[in-house]
Amino acid sequence: MVSTLSVFGQEIVPTPEKTPKKRPKIGLVLSGGGARGFAHIGVIKVLEENHIPVDYVAGASMGALVGALYATGRTPAQMEQLVETLDWDNLLRGKPAFGELNYRRKEDRRNLPGSITLGGKGARLNLPGSLNPGHEIGLALDRLMLSYGTNTNFDDLPIPLRAVATDLVSAETVVLKSGSLSQALRATMAIPAVFAPVELNGRILADGGILNNIPTDVAKEMGADIILVVNIETQLGDRSSLQDLVGILGQTFYVVTVENSRRSLRQADIIVAPDLKNYGTFDFGAGKKIIELGYQGAQTKVALLKSLALDDAEWEQHLAARRTKSRPEIEPIPEFTAIEGTENPKAKRAIGQKLDDKYENKPLDEKALAKDLTELTGTERFDNLGYGITSRDGKTGLLVRLYDPRERTARTTVLEVGVDVNNSETDDVNFNARARLTFFDIGGDGNEWRNDFSIGSRTLLATEFYRPLGESGFFAAPNAFYEDRKVNFYEDGDRLAEYSFRTAQAGIDFGYRANRNSELRLGYSIGHQKASRRIGSPPFSDLSGKTSFASLRWNYDTRDSAQVPTRGIELRNSLNYYFDAPGAANSFAQAESRFNAFHSPDRKHIVFGFGGIGTTFGETAPLFQQFALGGLFNVGGYGNGEFRSGNYLNGGFGVLRETFSAPAYIGGKLYLGGWYEAGSAFENFSRAKYRQSVTGGALLQTRIGPIFVGGSFAEGGRRKLYFSLGRFF
């Protein structure tokens, strides 16, 4: 009913007020696509510049991550800075870094740098569920989403959010809309075989892009009137892309998923599809360029987008409403620590002992906590750990989560298999198939029964039972081994004969581990050794006899990689006193010290030095205890073990330059480089004859170990060509 006014005797009927036109709600849908998803940031930047409001966000995989950053209040500039500053190689690596392993796990990694690992209970062994457990990237998500706790309604975010995942058991799309935001992101980004799936609310979840990579239906269910899709999917290739296995497999995957994507795109009102043809799923190092391509792609639709724009006043009101829901970064003070994801008392005890209540009743140091959790994975008894903030009885607590459906802590058996290949001449090829079988917690927590096997140029059967003595760092380690290795003997540069050196030995060591970088051992061993000719002219008759000795060994290793270190040093020192040795008339002492050192002056170069010294303290060393000189990193222009004596001295230095880099979980880096080395094996220091060599070649890091192809040159025209797979430095 409209009221009237009387003015000078006339009735005036006022015009009814116009009802403000209701603005249509806009849903932003961000597709998955790995590193190509950085383009979403460029598109969001255009939306913000043109005052285009976003009322709902739905995303899959990387689209969900960018969407979550936007939905929690991050600006495009903040997101771009995050992409540029994160260490993507570190976040996406498959295993804990070498420097984060405890000492025994470092020994495993040195023993087989590129092993295939199986684990389980007893004889029931399984391959790992993925190339990457997702620990490092999970910690980054925990840090970014810490303010939003463990029980958040995603509708309460500055922009309501949905992340889609795939239930691998029921083959259903799961829409994640509440709970832990970081856990939801872990799940939607879990690319099968690359990242481990996530168990959440009783479901085993993986990448949402498997079934619904462009979740337009989800945005409509949220209430969106207009659907704006950013599609960064790799497009189907033409006939020319089907020329090899990789192209055919990639095209097959896209064919399987393309119909779902087409169905989703038919629900879109506006589609932005940046031109990303030169960038793939794993190009995480090209973030800045991909963001710019996203920006350019959105600019081509800017005229259409502006039809949805708000004026300046409306835009400020829209931003203010978002800011009221934004949560600032927090510095919580936990009053208790809780563990989630396992009921295994052994796992809880190990986590509790590491954290030791040190994060309670003081501001949370996230950097220190991430380091502690990563060191726990460095024991390789945990695959993936994370954290968050929870509450109980009105108190704030630190929640530590264990992400591992099969729970590595419960595994008692680990089998590692790999190969070593070393070829310096066409008729001198060393090939070994190798394995390490370890049984954990035999007879008590912390015990390890380690067994090594090698078949090929070197036959090895070795066993050691490692028993910690309480929590002191001291341990006992009875051990035994049988080895049959080939040894070449030379005369004037020509290979004269090949011998078989056999050793059967048993002993016991007592030692101390001060930290994850060093180990000290004192031991006694007794056994039998025999040398017998296989082929060639005999330089000496067959030899056999008893061996017994006491040993003192100290090893120290701070390198950051077992394959190609960029920093750190390795020291290996031993002092042996032989009571008996075949061919020795008297007892004698012998000492050796070796080192490797690495430094990176910039991101592209590695400078390194190496060397060693050994002495028999003026005595003549019997055959089995002689030091050998010659071979790669041991004056490489000469034959492997060409010079033998009771004393030696060698050293060298070189540089490697990175020329190509693949993602760490695919392979690694390709280096070109070279080094100089010199050394001598001698009986009398004053008569030492030093030989020199220069070596160069290409070194490639791979999932099965480093591969080296190169050559060495020495005085007098001596040269060797090398191919090696397995251990390098």
Side-chain angles (χ1 to χ4, degrees):
M1 179 177 182
V2 179
S3 62
T4 62
L5 297 175
S6 178
V7 179
F8 301 111
Q10 298 183 3
E11 291 185 352
I12 300 174
V13 180
T15 303
E17 294 182 5
K18 292 184 178 180
T19 303
K21 186 177 180 181
K22 185 178 180 182
R23 178 177 66 80
K25 299 293 185 180
I26 299 172
L28 177 63
V29 177
L30 305 177
S31 71
R36 294 162 63 94
F38 295 147
H40 295 315
I41 299 172
V43 175
I44 292 171
K45 185 177 181 180
V46 172
L47 298 181
E48 295 275 300
E49 288 176 349
N50 289 279
H51 296 182
I52 313 299
V54 172
D55 301 285
Y56 308 105
V57 177
S61 197
M62 182 61 81
L65 172 57
V66 175
L69 292 172
Y70 188 40
T72 54
R74 269 78 170 192
T75 66
Q78 289 172 325
M79 289 188 277
E80 186 168 4
Q81 182 183 27
L82 185 65
V83 168
E84 293 179 6
T85 55
L86 286 175
D87 184 348
W88 291 98
D89 281 345
N90 179 59
L91 293 178
L92 300 172
R93 68 172 187 240
K95 295 182 178 180
F98 184 75
E100 293 162 349
L101 299 174
N102 69 16
Y103 189 82
R104 288 188 68 79
R105 302 292 75 80
K106 282 185 177 182
E107 289 182 317
D108 292 340
R109 193 77 64 85
R110 284 194 300 261
N111 181 57
L112 287 169
S115 66
I116 298 172
T117 304
L118 297 88
K121 291 186 178 181
R124 298 184 61 182
L125 302 178
N126 304 293
L127 286 167
S130 65
L131 296 174
N132 188 333
H135 173 75
E136 290 292 343
I137 196 166
L139 289 179
L141 296 175
D142 292 339
R143 184 179 67 251
L144 290 169
M145 303 301 165
L146 185 68
S147 299
Y148 291 88
T150 59
N151 189 21
T152 298
N153 185 335
F154 297 174
D155 284 334
D156 295 335
L157 300 176
I159 304 175
L161 171 73
R162 297 290 185 270
V164 298
T166 301
D167 188 322
L168 293 181
V169 177
S170 64
E172 297 175 335
T173 293
V174 177
V175 180
L176 301 171
K177 54 186 178 181
S178 64
S180 165
L181 192 50
S182 66
Q183 282 186 295
L185 295 177
R186 283 177 183 249
T188 187
M189 296 177 66
I191 303 171
V194 176
F195 294 110
V198 174
E199 184 172 359
L200 188 60
N201 300 325
R203 294 173 177 262
I204 304 297
L205 302 181
D207 192 332
I210 300 171
L211 295 179
N212 194 0
N213 198 41
I214 308 176
T216 51
D217 57 329
V218 176
K220 278 190 173 295
E221 290 175 5
M222 296 176 75
D225 302 306
I226 295 176
I227 304 295
L228 167 58
V229 169
V230 183
N231 182 18
I232 49 89
E233 288 186 328
T234 303
Q235 302 303 303
L236 288 168
D238 56 19
R239 295 174 63 92
S240 64
S241 66
L242 305 178
Q243 302 299 313
D244 55 33
L245 177 63
V246 174
I248 293 172
L249 288 176
Q251 185 84 335
T252 301
F253 177 79
Y254 302 139
V255 167
V256 170
T257 60
V258 71
E259 185 55 36
N260 281 340
S261 296
R262 288 170 176 168
R263 190 182 305 114
S264 296
L265 289 171
R266 284 195 287 269
Q267 299 185 62
D269 298 293
I270 303 173
I271 299 173
V272 176
D275 182 5
L276 304 174
K277 63 178 179 293
N278 294 326
Y279 296 95
T281 302
F282 303 117
D283 287 326
F284 289 94
K288 189 172 184 178
K289 295 177 182 177
I290 295 173
I291 291 171
E292 177 59 28
L293 289 173
Y295 185 87
Q296 294 173 9
Q299 287 287 8
T300 65
K301 298 291 181 76
V302 74
L304 180 59
L305 292 172
K306 282 185 175 180
S307 65
L308 304 173
L310 302 178
D311 61 33
D312 291 347
E314 292 171 328
W315 179 247
E316 286 304 319
Q317 290 176 2
H318 176 74
L319 293 182
R322 284 193 344 206
R323 283 194 291 267
T324 62
K325 295 183 177 181
S326 182
R327 299 184 189 179
E329 292 189 8
I330 60 173
E331 193 175 46
I333 302 177
E335 298 173 80
F336 65 92
T337 302
I339 299 172
E340 182 182 88
T342 182
E343 295 302 323
N344 187 327
K346 188 189 303 180
K348 289 189 173 183
R349 184 165 56 250
I351 295 171
Q353 288 173 347
K354 181 67 175 178
L355 302 184
D356 196 25
D357 302 328
K358 66 181 180 180
Y359 294 102
E360 296 180 11
N361 300 311
K362 55 186 172 184
L364 180 63
D365 186 339
E366 290 187 72
K367 186 175 181 180
L369 176 60
K371 182 174 182 292
D372 280 341
L373 295 179
T374 300
E375 287 182 1
L376 277 168
T377 67
T379 66
E380 299 208 346
R381 306 301 296 273
F382 300 93
D383 274 339
N384 188 348
L385 295 168
Y387 67 94
I389 295 300
T390 188
S391 61
R392 186 174 65 200
D393 300 328
K395 295 182 178 180
T396 298
L398 169 64
L399 179 65
V400 176
R401 300 190 188 95
L402 190 154
Y403 295 94
D404 184 5
R406 294 187 295 181
E407 199 167 323
R408 182 184 280 253
T409 312
R411 292 171 233 178
T412 59
T413 310
V414 172
L415 174 64
E416 300 171 292
V417 294
V419 296
D420 270 343
V421 180
N422 184 284
N423 178 21
S424 59
E425 299 175 10
T426 56
D427 60 345
D428 185 18
V429 179
N430 291 297
F431 174 86
N432 295 290
R434 304 176 59 225
R436 170 165 285 181
L437 178 63
T438 305
F439 299 97
F440 292 93
D441 303 326
I442 301 296
D445 288 356
N447 294 347
E448 296 182 18
W449 181 22
R450 174 189 285 172
N451 302 272
D452 287 317
F453 309 91
S454 175
I455 300 174
S457 303
R458 177 193 183 210
T459 299
L460 174 69
L461 302 172
T463 187
E464 178 189 77
F465 186 78
Y466 173 87
R467 182 177 180 84
L469 303 177
E471 300 293 331
S472 62
F474 290 95
F475 62 88
N479 55 81
F481 76 90
Y482 170 79
E483 179 187 47
D484 183 358
R485 59 189 174 95
K486 72 174 187 178
V487 177
N488 293 321
F489 288 86
Y490 295 80
E491 184 175 301
D492 297 329
D494 297 321
R495 193 156 59 121
L496 185 65
E498 179 184 299
Y499 273 71
S500 170
F501 276 24
R502 299 185 183 92
T503 301
Q505 183 175 295
I508 185 168
D509 292 338
F510 294 93
Y512 177 69
R513 288 183 296 108
N515 50 49
R516 67 178 185 273
N517 296 326
S518 67
E519 181 181 86
L520 178 69
R521 288 193 177 214
L522 175 66
Y524 175 79
S525 300
I526 186 169
H528 186 273
Q529 294 181 311
K530 181 178 181 179
S532 56
R533 181 173 59 91
R534 286 178 173 171
I535 56 175
S537 302
F540 55 85
S541 59
D542 291 357
L543 179 69
S544 66
K546 174 185 176 183
T547 180
S548 65
F549 62 97
S551 62
L552 178 65
R553 287 167 286 166
W554 177 62
N555 298 328
Y556 179 77
D557 193 345
T558 62
R559 297 175 301 163
D560 62 350
S561 171
Q563 284 204 18
V564 185
T566 62
R567 63 181 183 274
I569 60 174
E570 179 191 21
L571 300 173
R572 306 185 71 82
N573 308 279
S574 65
L575 174 63
N576 298 327
Y577 188 85
Y578 288 89
F579 303 101
D580 302 284
N586 302 299
S587 58
F588 62 95
Q590 193 171 66
E592 183 180 21
S593 181
R594 299 196 63 86
F595 80 94
N596 294 294
F598 303 87
H599 173 67
S600 293
D602 54 52
R603 293 178 61 88
K604 290 289 186 181
H605 294 86
I606 303 172
V607 178
F608 60 92
F610 57 93
I613 182 172
T615 181
T616 316
F617 298 102
E619 300 290 336
T620 299
L623 181 66
F624 280 95
Q625 283 69 44
Q626 287 177 341
F627 298 109
L629 195 70
L632 202 59
F633 288 107
N634 206 18
V635 191
Y638 295 89
N640 189 30
E642 183 170 340
F643 307 104
R644 308 178 65 85
S645 191
N647 307 280
Y648 84 96
L649 179 65
N650 85 310
F653 59 89
V655 63
L656 295 174
R657 175 179 171 79
E658 176 191 328
T659 60
F660 171 78
S661 180
Y665 51 89
I666 293 178
K669 298 178 179 180
L670 174 66
Y671 294 91
L672 298 179
W675 57 92
Y676 165 84
E677 54 193 315
S680 177
F682 51 89
E683 290 298 335
N684 190 305
F685 187 81
S686 62
R687 298 180 181 179
K689 180 180 180 181
Y690 290 91
R691 295 169 171 85
Q692 303 177 79
S693 179
V694 176
T695 304
L699 177 64
L700 175 66
Q701 294 172 294
T702 75
R703 299 288 301 185
I704 59 173
I707 296 175
F708 174 73
V709 179
S712 294
F713 301 87
E715 304 101 327
R718 295 288 299 272
R719 60 185 182 272
K720 293 285 182 183
L721 296 178
Y722 286 102
F723 170 83
S724 70
L725 166 62
R727 287 176 292 183
F728 184 63
F729 282 112

